[in-house]
Each structure stands twice: as C-alpha cells, then as structure tokens.
Amino acid sequence: MAPLDDAPSGSLKVRVKRKIYPASGVREAQPVLKDIAIDIEPRSFVVITGPSGCGKSTLLNIIAGLDKDYEGEVVLGGADTKVGYIFQSPRLLPWRTVGQNIALALPDGDPRHGRIDETLRQVGLEGFASQYPERLSLGMQRRAALARGFISEPDVLLMDEPFVSLDDPTAQGLRELLIGLWNRRPTTVVFITHDRTEAVMLGTRILRMSGANATIVQDETVRLSPSERTDRDKVLAEQQRIFRET
Ligand SMILES: Nc1ncnc2c1ncn2[C@@H]1O[C@H](COP(=O)(O)OP(=O)(O)OP(=O)(O)O)[C@@H](O)[C@H]1O
Ligand SMILES: [Mg+2]
C-alpha cells in the first residue's frame, strides 16, 4: 500500500478495478473482485460483509499490501502510518509465551514493552503473560491477538472475522471489549464479518459485497450512538433497516 503524505493520517483510498486469481493446474482463472472504490475516513469503523467466498479476505489482503497482484491502487494517508492486521486465526507463535507474542508487535526498546501486563489486563488475560498459547482456549488466544493488535497503537487496524467459531457469550464479550478499546482510542478499522448483528454493533459504516465477481452493492452509515451499540433491541432495529431487502 502506498503512503500519501498529504492525505489525512489514517485515511484509506481503495481502488480495485479487477482482481483475478490466475489459472493453476486444472483450475481456470477466477475473477473475484471488480470496480471497487472505497474512501475511508480516519477513525471510522468500516465493516465489510458479504457471503462466504465472495472475496472479503482477498480485498483485505489487497488493502494490507499482502496481495499486489491486482489492477488498481490502495493509498494510505499520512506519513509513518502504522497498519495492524488481526487474522481470522489468532496466529500466536506456540514456542513463545503470551507476553513474548505481544512483544513481537513492538520494536526493540519501545517504551510500550512496559505496558504488556496492562494491555493483557484490558483484554481479561491478567497474569497470563508467561503462559504458552497452547494453555489458552481459542477465545483467550483471540483476546491475546487483540492485545497484540492494539499494543502497537496502529493508525489502521485490519480485522478478518476475528470472532468466528466462538460461542455467543464469548464472542459478545470480545465485541464489547473491542468497542471499549475503540472508544478509548479510535483508530481506522476495517473489519470483516458475515455476521450482520456483529456488523451493526461494531461498524460506523457497513459495506456489503455481492456477486460472483464481487463488488460493493451497499454502503450504509450506521445510526447508533456508542451506548446504543450494546442495546440488543436498538441493534436489531438498525440491522433490519440496513439489511431489510436482502
Ligand atoms: N490463493 C487463491 N488462489 C485461487 N483462488 C483463491 C485464492 N484465495 C481465494 N480464492 C478464491 O477467491 C474467492 C474469494 O475468496 P476469499 O477468501 O476472499 O472469500 P471470503 O469472502 O473471504 O470468504 P469467507 O467468508 O469464507 O472467508 C473464492 O472463490 C476462493 O476460492
Ligand atoms: Mg475470508
């Protein structure tokens, strides 16, 4: 992703005219994305939603700069803008402790190394710094991944279905945690989910993708105040408004 010094820090301009996975072996070339144009304001929480296989992770990898094989451009606003990526699987290194895994997100000598215990406390993992990831449940590993994503205070945070395959209360707890962390320090977030309730609860803006060769078919601002986001009825009403015709 190309940085642009005169665009506001934390803003994102995403243009994907075309993304095609090339043919390989017996598999034909597969067009996945077309004509995507998204401008993201700094400190907005953008949720991208759409059916399985429509190209959400492909788009996030392009935004992250992990996939450069596409037609278009991604421009990141501001000099020295830091980007964090929280993957669908927690991706903790099994041979490092939880604390060491989180430390990996920081450069050597960074004063924020002193904040690891405090960050673990914020995600409900107080006292787990010296444990190895295999001793943690999936939900706890997800929380550790959140701590790792947040400790380096990225200006742009990309999250790919970070709460799937958790039971409802655990996922809900992590969503409320994320809302709390984001309210305390709003950063630009691009969050992928196919869960519509989650989309409405978290997002300030929802983009819906659809189609075999997918593009953005809906772009909505979420009309919920921070306190309404944990109110189940308000969230459901807003979900019905946004997704009524689908
Ligand atoms: N490396 C790859 N090579 C070829 N095709 C791929 C590759 N990665 C993904 N695809 C194909 O591109 C399409 C979009 O995949 P992608 O993983 O982006 O979907 P998704 O919306 O994230 O799905 P899910 O909700 O299941 O995670 C799928 O049809 C998939 O088979
Ligand atoms: Mg995906």
Side-chain angles (χ1 to χ4, degrees):
M1 124 171 49
L4 191 70
D5 294 0
D6 54 0
S9 181
S11 68
L12 269 173
K13 174 178 156 188
V14 179
R15 300 285 181 273
V16 182
K17 192 165 164 27
R18 204 180 351 225
K19 165 68 190 173
I20 301 175
Y21 283 112
S24 102
V26 292
R27 211 177 49 199
E28 288 176 18
Q30 189 186 354
V32 179
L33 303 172
K34 65 163 190 238
D35 299 331
I36 289 179
I38 315 169
D39 291 298
I40 295 178
E41 300 276 325
R43 292 172 292 285
S44 55
F45 197 126
V46 175
V47 174
I48 300 177
T49 188
S52 180
C54 76
K56 302 182 296 298
S57 296
T58 301
L59 179 59
L60 204 65
N61 285 334
I62 288 175
I63 294 173
L66 299 174
D67 182 351
K68 298 190 193 307
D69 183 18
Y70 68 100
E71 209 177 296
E73 62 169 353
V74 174
V75 181
L76 177 63
D80 304 325
T81 302
K82 286 195 302 289
V83 179
Y85 200 139
I86 298 183
F87 296 90
Q88 182 168 330
S89 63
R91 295 200 185 188
L92 303 174
L93 299 177
W95 59 89
R96 306 248 179 160
T97 65
V98 169
Q100 288 165 345
N101 266 283
I102 290 168
L104 286 174
L106 298 170
D108 285 347
D110 188 298
R112 288 170 294 195
H113 281 278
R115 278 202 229 151
I116 291 177
D117 287 339
E118 182 200 329
T119 308
L120 282 172
R121 189 180 47 72
Q122 283 178 350
V123 299
L125 287 178
E126 192 168 15
F128 281 89
S130 58
Q131 297 276 342
Y132 284 87
E134 65 175 15
R135 306 288 292 272
L136 271 56
S137 69
L138 178 61
M140 292 160 87
Q141 291 184 33
R142 289 247 156 88
R143 279 186 258 166
L146 273 187
R148 186 178 54 186
F150 270 86
I151 195 153
S152 61
E153 302 177 299
D155 308 286
V156 175
L157 187 56
L158 309 175
M159 305 177 83
D160 192 354
E161 307 217 46
F163 308 143
V164 292
S165 64
L166 293 174
D167 61 78
D168 248 14
T170 305
Q172 189 61 13
L174 289 178
R175 286 178 203 125
E176 287 174 18
L177 182 74
L178 178 59
I179 292 172
L181 290 170
W182 187 78
N183 282 334
R184 244 174 285 156
R185 187 178 172 279
T187 52
T188 309
V189 178
V190 183
F191 186 104
I192 290 190
T193 182
H194 56 253
D195 179 327
R196 292 173 168 190
T197 309
E198 179 172 82
V200 172
M201 206 184 143
L202 295 176
T204 57
R205 178 179 172 198
I206 294 179
L207 301 172
R208 192 162 62 81
M209 288 171 65
S210 185
N213 187 6
T215 194
I216 306 290
V217 295
Q218 194 180 1
D219 183 350
E220 295 274 350
T221 300
V222 179
R223 300 181 200 153
L224 288 176
S225 68
S227 66
E228 288 172 335
R229 291 179 179 274
T230 48
D231 180 328
R232 208 176 156 71
D233 293 339
K234 291 258 163 52
V235 169
L236 280 178
E238 183 63 353
Q239 184 182 338
Q240 273 156 13
R241 183 187 73 79
I242 290 175
F243 294 106
R244 71 191 139 205
E245 84 288 13
T246 59

